[in-house]
C-alpha cells in the first residue's frame, strides 16, 4: 500500500519550491531598495530540501535538510519561498 501511494505521487509529479535565505541581513536591508541582495537558495521536493554549500571541513557539497531550516548556516534566516510548479 505504501509503495502504491508513493508511485501515485511520482506519477502526478512533485511540487517544487525554491526556498530563499537571507545571508547578509544588514546589507540586504539596504540592497533590497535596488532590487538586489545576497541570498542562499535551495530546492524543496517531497518535504526534503536540497542545497549546495561550500564550507571549511567535511560539510562541503550537496546537503539534504528539513525544509526552511537554516540552523546549519551561520547568521542566515529563512526569507521566502517561490513555488515553481510540478
Amino acid at each position: 500500500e505504501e509503495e502504491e501511494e508513493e508511485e501515485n505521487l511520482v506519477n502526478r509529479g512533485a511540487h517544487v519550491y525554491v526556498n530563499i535565505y537571507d545571508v547578509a541581513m544588514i546589507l540586504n536591508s539596504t540592497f533590497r531598495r535596488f532590487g538586489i541582495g545576497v541570498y542562499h537558495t535551495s530546492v524543496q521536493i517531497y518535504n526534503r530540501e536540497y542545497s549546495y554549500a561550500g564550507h571549511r571541513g567535511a560539510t562541503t557539497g550537496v546537503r539534504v535538510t528539513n525544509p526552511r531550516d537554516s540552523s546549519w548556516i551561520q547568521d542566515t534566516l529563512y526569507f521566502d519561498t517561490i513555488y515553481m510548479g510540478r
Side-chain angles (χ1 to χ4, degrees):
E1 187 175 292
E2 190 174 311
E3 285 180 27
E4 186 177 312
E5 182 179 320
E6 193 171 306
E7 187 176 317
N8 286 335
L9 285 172
V10 171
N11 290 336
R12 288 191 307 236
H15 293 280
V16 178
Y17 303 88
V18 172
N19 293 326
I20 304 165
Y21 297 89
D22 191 332
V23 297
M25 292 168 271
I26 294 170
L27 288 175
N28 284 345
S29 64
T30 300
F31 287 166
R32 272 190 212 103
R33 290 183 238 164
F34 304 102
I36 61 174
V38 181
Y39 301 95
H40 171 79
T41 59
S42 63
V43 176
Q44 179 182 331
I45 303 170
Y46 291 127
N47 205 33
R48 300 301 296 155
E49 187 171 296
Y50 303 87
S51 63
Y52 179 85
H55 295 280
R56 294 181 202 133
T59 61
T60 297
V62 176
R63 256 184 108 87
V64 181
T65 59
N66 292 321
R68 301 179 187 131
D69 175 14
S70 64
S71 64
W72 62 277
I73 308 173
Q74 186 177 6
D75 299 325
T76 300
L77 291 176
Y78 168 76
F79 179 71
D80 199 6
T81 296
I82 301 170
Y83 178 66
M84 301 302 292
R86 285 188 163 185

